[in-house]
Amino acid sequence: SAVISQKPSRDICQRGTSLTIQCQVDSQVTMMFWYRQQPGQSLTLIATANQGSEATYESGFVIDKFPISRPNLTFSTLTVSNMSPEDSSIYLCSVEQGALKETQYFGPGTRLLVL
Amino acid sequence: GNSVTQMEGPVTLSEEAFLTINCTYTATGYPSLFWYVQYPGEGLQLLLKATKADDKGSNKGFEATYRKETTSFHLEKGSVQVSDSAVYFCALNTGNMLTFGGGTRLMVKP
Protein backbone atom coordinates (compact mmCIF):
# COMPACT_ATOMS: atom_id res chain seq x y z
CA SER A 1 0.00 0.00 0.00
CA ALA A 2 1.04 3.59 -0.50
CA VAL A 3 2.88 5.41 2.25
CA ILE A 4 1.23 8.75 2.95
CA SER A 5 2.57 11.56 5.10
CA GLN A 6 0.92 14.76 6.23
CA LYS A 7 2.30 18.01 7.59
CA PRO A 8 1.72 19.40 10.12
CA SER A 9 0.59 16.56 12.34
CA ARG A 10 -1.19 19.02 14.59
CA ASP A 11 -1.58 22.75 15.05
CA ILE A 12 -3.29 25.30 17.22
CA CYS A 13 -4.44 28.37 15.31
CA GLN A 14 -6.19 31.63 16.00
CA ARG A 15 -9.55 32.38 14.46
CA GLY A 16 -9.40 34.34 11.23
CA THR A 17 -6.11 32.83 10.12
CA SER A 18 -5.46 30.15 7.48
CA LEU A 19 -3.56 26.87 7.61
CA THR A 20 -2.20 24.86 4.71
CA ILE A 21 -1.95 21.10 5.15
CA GLN A 22 0.39 19.09 2.96
CA CYS A 23 -0.09 15.51 1.81
CA GLN A 24 2.77 13.55 0.24
CA VAL A 25 2.52 10.07 -1.29
CA ASP A 26 5.43 7.76 -2.06
CA SER A 27 4.02 6.74 -5.46
CA GLN A 28 2.17 8.42 -8.29
CA VAL A 29 -1.60 8.38 -7.89
CA THR A 30 -4.34 9.77 -10.05
CA MET A 31 -6.82 10.83 -7.41
CA MET A 32 -6.31 12.18 -3.93
CA PHE A 33 -9.07 12.81 -1.43
CA TRP A 34 -9.46 15.18 1.49
CA TYR A 35 -11.69 14.34 4.45
CA ARG A 36 -12.74 16.10 7.63
CA GLN A 37 -13.41 14.28 10.88
CA GLN A 38 -15.09 16.48 13.44
CA PRO A 39 -14.66 15.54 17.12
CA GLY A 40 -16.28 12.21 17.88
CA GLN A 41 -17.70 11.93 14.37
CA SER A 42 -17.18 9.89 11.25
CA LEU A 43 -15.37 11.07 8.14
CA THR A 44 -16.86 13.48 5.64
CA LEU A 45 -15.40 13.90 2.16
CA ILE A 46 -14.42 17.50 1.43
CA ALA A 47 -13.16 17.16 -2.12
CA THR A 48 -11.46 15.00 -4.71
CA ALA A 49 -8.28 16.28 -6.32
CA ASN A 50 -7.03 15.19 -9.73
CA GLN A 51 -3.70 16.35 -11.02
CA GLY A 52 -4.05 19.05 -13.62
CA SER A 53 -7.65 19.93 -12.95
CA GLU A 54 -9.70 21.77 -10.37
CA ALA A 55 -10.79 19.85 -7.34
CA THR A 56 -14.34 18.57 -7.12
CA TYR A 57 -16.07 19.65 -3.91
CA GLU A 58 -18.82 17.85 -2.05
CA SER A 59 -22.01 19.51 -0.98
CA GLY A 60 -21.40 21.90 1.90
CA PHE A 61 -17.77 22.59 1.02
CA VAL A 62 -16.60 25.47 -1.17
CA ILE A 63 -13.33 26.37 -2.81
CA ASP A 64 -13.05 29.75 -1.10
CA LYS A 65 -13.04 28.08 2.30
CA PHE A 66 -11.01 24.98 1.38
CA PRO A 67 -8.77 25.72 -1.60
CA ILE A 68 -6.87 22.68 -2.84
CA SER A 69 -3.79 22.37 -4.97
CA ARG A 70 -2.60 19.30 -6.84
CA PRO A 71 0.62 20.29 -8.61
CA ASN A 72 1.80 16.74 -9.38
CA LEU A 73 0.93 13.07 -8.99
CA THR A 74 2.45 12.67 -5.50
CA PHE A 75 1.45 15.84 -3.67
CA SER A 76 -1.56 17.90 -2.66
CA THR A 77 -2.38 20.70 -0.24
CA LEU A 78 -5.58 21.68 1.51
CA THR A 79 -5.94 25.16 2.97
CA VAL A 80 -8.45 25.89 5.70
CA SER A 81 -9.17 29.58 5.27
CA ASN A 82 -10.46 32.21 7.67
CA MET A 83 -10.72 29.64 10.43
CA SER A 84 -13.28 29.56 13.19
CA PRO A 85 -13.54 27.20 16.19
CA GLU A 86 -16.01 25.10 14.17
CA ASP A 87 -13.12 24.14 11.88
CA SER A 88 -11.44 22.28 14.72
CA SER A 89 -11.20 18.76 13.32
CA ILE A 90 -8.87 16.11 12.03
CA TYR A 91 -8.14 16.56 8.33
CA LEU A 92 -7.08 13.44 6.44
CA CYS A 93 -5.90 12.84 2.93
CA SER A 94 -6.24 9.53 1.17
CA VAL A 95 -5.35 7.85 -2.11
CA GLU A 96 -6.99 5.02 -3.97
CA GLN A 97 -5.28 1.80 -4.93
CA GLY A 98 -6.17 -1.73 -5.94
CA ALA A 99 -6.96 -3.37 -9.24
CA LEU A 100 -10.28 -1.56 -9.43
CA LYS A 101 -9.14 1.49 -7.46
CA GLU A 102 -11.62 0.43 -4.83
CA THR A 103 -9.41 0.75 -1.75
CA GLN A 104 -8.44 4.02 -0.10
CA TYR A 105 -5.43 4.39 2.15
CA PHE A 106 -5.23 7.26 4.58
CA GLY A 107 -2.56 9.55 5.87
CA PRO A 108 -2.04 9.98 9.62
CA GLY A 109 -4.18 13.11 9.73
CA THR A 110 -3.68 16.70 10.82
CA ARG A 111 -5.25 17.65 14.14
CA LEU A 112 -6.38 21.24 14.06
CA LEU A 113 -7.58 23.25 17.04
CA VAL A 114 -8.88 26.75 16.38
CA LEU A 115 -9.10 29.10 19.34
CA GLY B 1 -28.07 6.75 -2.17
CA ASN B 2 -25.47 4.66 -0.41
CA SER B 3 -25.44 4.35 3.35
CA VAL B 4 -23.73 2.36 6.09
CA THR B 5 -25.20 1.66 9.50
CA GLN B 6 -23.15 0.25 12.32
CA MET B 7 -23.93 -0.40 15.93
CA GLU B 8 -23.47 2.48 18.26
CA GLY B 9 -20.84 2.30 20.93
CA PRO B 10 -19.12 2.29 23.09
CA VAL B 11 -18.71 -1.45 23.23
CA THR B 12 -16.94 -2.45 26.43
CA LEU B 13 -15.48 -5.93 26.73
CA SER B 14 -13.11 -7.76 28.98
CA GLU B 15 -9.87 -9.09 27.55
CA GLU B 16 -10.28 -12.40 25.68
CA ALA B 17 -13.99 -11.84 25.12
CA PHE B 18 -15.64 -12.41 21.72
CA LEU B 19 -16.30 -9.33 19.64
CA THR B 20 -19.01 -8.61 17.12
CA ILE B 21 -19.61 -5.18 15.62
CA ASN B 22 -22.61 -5.15 13.32
CA CYS B 23 -22.56 -3.35 9.99
CA THR B 24 -25.31 -3.23 7.38
CA TYR B 25 -25.38 -1.27 4.18
CA THR B 26 -27.55 0.07 1.41
CA ALA B 27 -25.98 0.50 -2.00
CA THR B 28 -26.67 0.54 -5.69
CA GLY B 29 -24.60 -1.87 -7.68
CA TYR B 30 -21.99 -4.13 -6.15
CA PRO B 31 -19.94 -2.34 -3.54
CA SER B 32 -16.61 -3.28 -2.05
CA LEU B 33 -16.77 -3.37 1.75
CA PHE B 34 -14.17 -2.29 4.28
CA TRP B 35 -13.38 -2.09 7.94
CA TYR B 36 -11.04 0.67 9.04
CA VAL B 37 -9.60 1.13 12.52
CA GLN B 38 -8.56 4.35 14.21
CA TYR B 39 -6.34 3.97 17.26
CA PRO B 40 -6.27 6.85 19.74
CA GLY B 41 -4.51 9.86 18.28
CA GLU B 42 -3.91 8.23 14.92
CA GLY B 43 -5.31 8.24 11.40
CA LEU B 44 -7.37 5.51 9.73
CA GLN B 45 -5.82 2.16 8.96
CA LEU B 46 -7.37 -0.36 6.62
CA LEU B 47 -8.15 -3.43 8.73
CA LEU B 48 -9.72 -5.72 6.13
CA LYS B 49 -11.80 -5.71 2.99
CA ALA B 50 -14.00 -7.85 0.75
CA THR B 51 -14.77 -7.05 -2.85
CA LYS B 52 -17.53 -9.50 -3.73
CA ALA B 53 -20.30 -11.53 -2.16
CA ASP B 54 -19.25 -14.38 0.16
CA ASP B 55 -15.66 -13.12 0.34
CA LYS B 56 -14.16 -13.14 3.81
CA GLY B 57 -11.69 -10.47 4.77
CA SER B 58 -9.32 -11.18 7.64
CA ASN B 59 -6.43 -9.50 9.39
CA LYS B 60 -4.91 -9.50 12.90
CA GLY B 61 -7.49 -12.03 14.08
CA PHE B 62 -10.42 -9.96 12.83
CA GLU B 63 -12.81 -11.36 10.23
CA ALA B 64 -15.80 -10.13 8.26
CA THR B 65 -17.84 -11.89 5.57
CA TYR B 66 -19.58 -10.07 2.74
CA ARG B 67 -23.22 -11.19 2.98
CA LYS B 68 -25.15 -9.93 0.01
CA GLU B 69 -28.42 -11.58 1.05
CA THR B 70 -28.48 -9.70 4.35
CA THR B 71 -26.47 -6.68 3.10
CA SER B 72 -24.14 -7.08 6.05
CA PHE B 73 -20.42 -7.09 6.84
CA HIS B 74 -20.17 -7.78 10.55
CA LEU B 75 -16.74 -7.57 12.19
CA GLU B 76 -15.74 -10.40 14.54
CA LYS B 77 -12.78 -11.38 16.65
CA GLY B 78 -12.59 -14.43 18.83
CA SER B 79 -10.48 -12.99 21.63
CA VAL B 80 -9.94 -9.28 22.00
CA GLN B 81 -6.94 -7.64 23.60
CA VAL B 82 -6.51 -4.32 25.37
CA SER B 83 -4.53 -3.15 22.34
CA ASP B 84 -7.67 -3.56 20.19
CA SER B 85 -9.23 -0.56 21.92
CA ALA B 86 -10.00 1.83 19.09
CA VAL B 87 -12.77 3.19 16.90
CA TYR B 88 -13.87 0.90 14.08
CA PHE B 89 -15.46 2.22 10.89
CA CYS B 90 -17.38 0.17 8.35
CA ALA B 91 -17.35 1.58 4.82
CA LEU B 92 -18.40 0.80 1.28
CA ASN B 93 -17.17 1.90 -2.12
CA THR B 94 -19.19 1.69 -5.32
CA GLY B 95 -16.62 3.53 -7.44
CA ASN B 96 -14.27 6.24 -6.15
CA MET B 97 -16.67 7.22 -3.39
CA LEU B 98 -16.19 5.87 0.12
CA THR B 99 -19.24 5.98 2.36
CA PHE B 100 -18.55 5.54 6.08
CA GLY B 101 -20.64 4.36 8.96
CA GLY B 102 -20.71 6.40 12.13
CA GLY B 103 -17.97 4.44 13.86
CA THR B 104 -18.04 2.16 16.90
CA ARG B 105 -15.74 2.74 19.83
CA LEU B 106 -14.38 -0.45 21.39
CA MET B 107 -12.96 -0.42 24.89
CA VAL B 108 -11.24 -3.55 26.14
CA LYS B 109 -10.54 -3.80 29.85
CA PRO B 110 -7.83 -6.02 31.34
Side-chain angles (χ1 to χ4, degrees):
Chain A
S1 63
V3 177
I4 306 167
S5 60
Q6 286 185 234
K7 290 182 181 179
S9 59
R10 58 180 67 241
D11 208 342
I12 301 173
C13 300
Q14 298 298 317
R15 68 172 66 209
T17 63
S18 297
L19 176 72
T20 295
I21 301 167
Q22 300 179 6
C23 180
Q24 179 77 52
V25 189
D26 69 343
S27 58
Q28 294 184 341
V29 294
T30 303
M31 298 176 74
M32 297 178 76
F33 305 85
W34 286 98
Y35 290 83
R36 181 176 73 182
Q37 185 181 21
Q38 295 179 300
Q41 303 296 313
S42 187
L43 280 77
T44 302
L45 180 65
I46 297 172
T48 303
N50 283 340
Q51 192 267 336
S53 62
E54 282 199 7
T56 302
Y57 289 83
E58 297 300 309
S59 176
F61 297 97
V62 295
I63 188 171
D64 289 346
K65 176 67 174 178
F66 296 102
I68 288 172
S69 77
R70 183 77 202 276
N72 58 51
L73 291 173
T74 63
F75 187 78
S76 179
T77 67
L78 169 76
T79 298
V80 187
S81 303
N82 189 24
M83 289 184 284
S84 67
E86 292 71 34
D87 294 319
S88 299
S89 297
I90 302 173
Y91 292 86
L92 301 103
C93 68
S94 73
V95 303
E96 57 180 11
Q97 289 195 325
L100 301 175
K101 306 291 187 186
E102 77 284 354
T103 303
Q104 288 190 20
Y105 294 91
F106 287 81
T110 295
R111 283 153 181 77
L112 172 61
L113 176 63
V114 184
L115 302 178
Chain B
N2 298 337
S3 67
V4 177
T5 302
Q6 56 183 110
M7 60 191 293
E8 289 192 19
V11 173
T12 304
L13 296 173
S14 297
E15 208 165 22
E16 300 184 1
F18 184 87
L19 168 71
T20 299
I21 300 178
N22 290 338
C23 171
T24 57
Y25 67 90
T26 302
T28 55
Y30 303 95
S32 295
L33 301 175
F34 305 87
W35 278 100
Y36 287 88
V37 58
Q38 186 173 35
Y39 297 102
E42 299 186 12
L44 259 68
Q45 297 179 24
L46 177 66
L47 181 59
L48 54 85
K49 70 177 184 180
T51 57
K52 61 183 187 296
D54 299 325
D55 271 1
K56 177 186 286 187
S58 61
N59 186 26
K60 299 181 180 180
F62 291 90
E63 293 183 340
T65 301
Y66 189 141
R67 300 289 188 196
K68 185 180 177 184
E69 63 276 13
T70 55
T71 61
S72 65
F73 193 55
H74 305 321
L75 183 68
E76 296 182 336
K77 186 175 186 182
S79 176
V80 294
Q81 306 299 313
V82 173
S83 57
D84 293 326
S85 298
V87 180
Y88 293 81
F89 292 93
C90 185
L92 67 81
N93 191 345
T94 55
N96 296 338
M97 180 75 171
L98 261 186
T99 301
F100 285 91
T104 302
R105 180 175 298 278
L106 170 66
M107 299 169 56
V108 181
K109 297 186 174 180

